[in-house]
Amino acid sequence: MASTSAADTAAITRAGARARVVPRSLAQLSSVKEGLDRTAPPASVHSWAVSPQSNSVVVLTSDEQAARSWVATSGIADAAAVTFEASAERPRLFYDIRGGDAYYTSEGYRCSIGFAARRGTQLGFTTAGHCGGTGVTTTGYNRVAQGTFQISSFPGNDYAWVATNSNWTAPGVVNGYSAGILPVRGAAVTQPQGSVCRSGSTTQWHCGTVQALNSTVNYPEGTVSGLTRTNVCAEGGDSGGSFISGDQAQGMTSGGSGNCSVGGTTYFQPLGEILSAGGLTLVTSGGTDPPPTGCQGYEETYSGSLTSNQSAYQPNGSYYQATVSGTHAACLDGPSGVDFDIYLQRWNGTSWTVVARGDSPNPDESISYSGSAGYYRYRVHAYSGAGAYTLGLNRP
């Protein structure tokens, strides 16, 4: 234990610590460090901080002479309190690869990121092949240098993979904009009539249903086969962006018709083809327990995770339309030791109202409601506790 007063030595020793008398207090060292904070450093100075162990302010630098000149011109009263350590660091900012975020090509186009994926140890992301050919370079949503197209196939296919530089990291997520940041935990294919959502840098987050697999589309630029047809809208700049069902990656926006004002049809390039053709591995979100496996036998299942007092809306952060009267049934399976609840809400023309609920003090709930045609959604709420959940539901 350090002290600036030798008179403290006996008390420190009696307390069971080894005493050390030092010339400067923590307040004095902090004052020196704050003086350096007010002076712009040269590029060769990488960082500086108070070191209680050495009773000094340690400057990490690749050029000690330049660092000493900087300290001398800083105006601090106690320059002797500063020590120097050789450093090979090159500190830089890191930026996340997130599905649905914008990127810009060296050819002047804006497209959207699909999913983070690795080839061996090289990190990158999938996108649409028509966004750029092999060798085209990219900058990120923030206009920071990002990567280079190393795989690109269009027409015939519409997929590409951009290898990113070391400034970019990948948490395995999609930017759902209004739906929040969504984890990617796999790539199970959603079948026709299943719910799917799309994220893109122009129109952000929109949802709908899968209408057909393995579609061949005749674009003016050429024919593309193996696409999935959906009734989700999209516009220019959304190309390459993520299609996702729950936490399962589906593919990258290719093209379509219409827009998000009047609606339309959008096709996406399934993810599996480029993962296989390019020898890529999908980057998934880690650190979360897998969802429970209950609620079997329901027509649709969705999964997610919640922290205490958080809510999520299903299907896929959106709602669904019941075109006929009938029974809405749902099953919620949460982890042990939590209190998760479920609410069925119906749109009344001006707001969402709760028409059925399961809110017992348990992790698992089930509800059944007979309702007329209309728009519905489920709110899953963590009353207490946190963890992954599975929701099964049947529609009329």
Side-chain angles (χ1 to χ4, degrees):
M1 180 177 290
S3 173
T4 56
S5 173
D8 293 333
T9 301
I12 291 171
T13 302
R14 285 195 302 270
R18 186 175 63 185
R20 184 162 65 97
V21 179
V22 295
R24 300 175 185 88
S25 68
L26 181 61
Q28 289 171 315
L29 292 173
S30 296
S31 177
V32 171
K33 194 261 183 184
E34 290 165 2
L36 296 179
D37 289 347
R38 291 189 290 268
T39 307
S44 57
V45 170
H46 301 152
S47 66
W48 56 97
V50 171
S51 170
Q53 294 89 341
S54 65
N55 195 239
S56 67
V57 176
V58 178
V59 174
L60 301 184
T61 179
S62 59
D63 184 343
E64 184 173 332
Q65 187 57 47
R68 287 184 179 276
S69 297
W70 169 61
V71 171
T73 59
S74 67
I76 59 174
D78 188 6
V82 181
T83 59
F84 302 88
E85 291 185 9
S87 166
E89 293 181 2
R90 292 293 184 272
R92 64 190 188 281
L93 296 174
F94 292 121
Y95 308 101
D96 285 343
I97 298 169
R98 305 184 305 182
D101 278 352
Y103 69 90
Y104 301 85
T105 74
S106 53
E107 296 179 328
Y109 299 110
R110 172 172 59 84
C111 281
S112 301
I113 290 173
F115 298 94
R118 295 182 183 276
R119 183 161 65 176
T121 60
Q122 174 62 58
L123 180 62
F125 62 84
T126 64
T127 187
H130 73 262
C131 287
T134 303
V136 170
T137 60
T138 69
T139 56
Y141 64 91
N142 48 11
R143 299 289 187 164
V144 171
Q146 184 185 64
T148 305
F149 279 78
Q150 290 194 0
I151 300 172
S152 184
S153 180
F154 178 83
N157 303 296
D158 196 6
Y159 61 66
W161 180 70
V162 176
T164 52
N165 62 41
S166 58
N167 289 337
W168 293 81
T169 59
V173 299
V174 166
N175 181 1
Y177 295 92
S178 61
I181 303 301
L182 309 173
V184 177
R185 297 199 175 95
V189 175
T190 295
Q191 300 301 308
Q193 305 310 310
S195 297
V196 68
C197 292
R198 180 196 56 72
S199 178
S201 59
T202 299
T203 58
Q204 300 186 356
W205 183 252
H206 290 273
C207 299
T209 58
V210 171
Q211 296 180 320
L213 307 181
N214 196 27
S215 298
T216 298
V217 181
N218 186 23
Y219 294 126
E221 298 80 4
T223 300
V224 178
S225 60
L227 301 183
T228 299
R229 176 187 171 98
T230 77
N231 63 3
V232 184
C233 70
E235 296 179 12
D238 290 327
S239 290
S242 316
F243 266 86
I244 188 169
S245 292
D247 57 10
Q248 299 297 301
Q250 301 300 308
M252 296 77 67
T253 301
S254 174
S257 60
N259 56 48
C260 288
S261 296
V262 301
T265 296
T266 301
Y267 296 89
F268 70 79
Q269 165 72 56
L271 177 65
E273 188 171 0
I274 189 173
L275 294 183
S276 176
L280 306 178
T281 301
L282 177 68
V283 176
T284 56
S285 180
T288 303
D289 293 333
T293 57
C295 297
Q296 300 298 312
Y298 282 76
E299 295 171 357
E300 302 171 47
T301 58
Y302 301 90
S303 59
S305 60
L306 296 170
T307 58
S308 185
N309 203 35
Q310 182 186 21
S311 292
Y313 294 93
Q314 298 288 4
N316 296 321
S318 187
Y319 58 87
Y320 65 91
Q321 182 180 14
T323 58
V324 297
S325 298
T327 301
H328 303 253
C331 164
L332 175 66
D333 186 12
S336 299
V338 306
D339 181 2
F340 282 9
D341 301 321
I342 184 173
Y343 302 87
L344 177 62
Q345 299 177 330
R346 186 178 188 278
W347 182 251
N348 65 12
T350 57
S351 63
W352 292 99
T353 58
V354 175
V355 294
R357 66 180 67 213
D359 55 0
S360 69
N362 300 302
D364 304 332
E365 304 287 352
S366 63
I367 58 176
S368 180
Y369 173 76
S370 181
S372 58
Y375 294 96
Y376 294 85
R377 70 179 184 181
Y378 287 93
R379 175 188 173 218
V380 183
H381 178 66
Y383 183 82
S384 65
Y389 69 86
T390 293
L391 174 71
L393 64 90
N394 293 337
R395 309 185 193 187

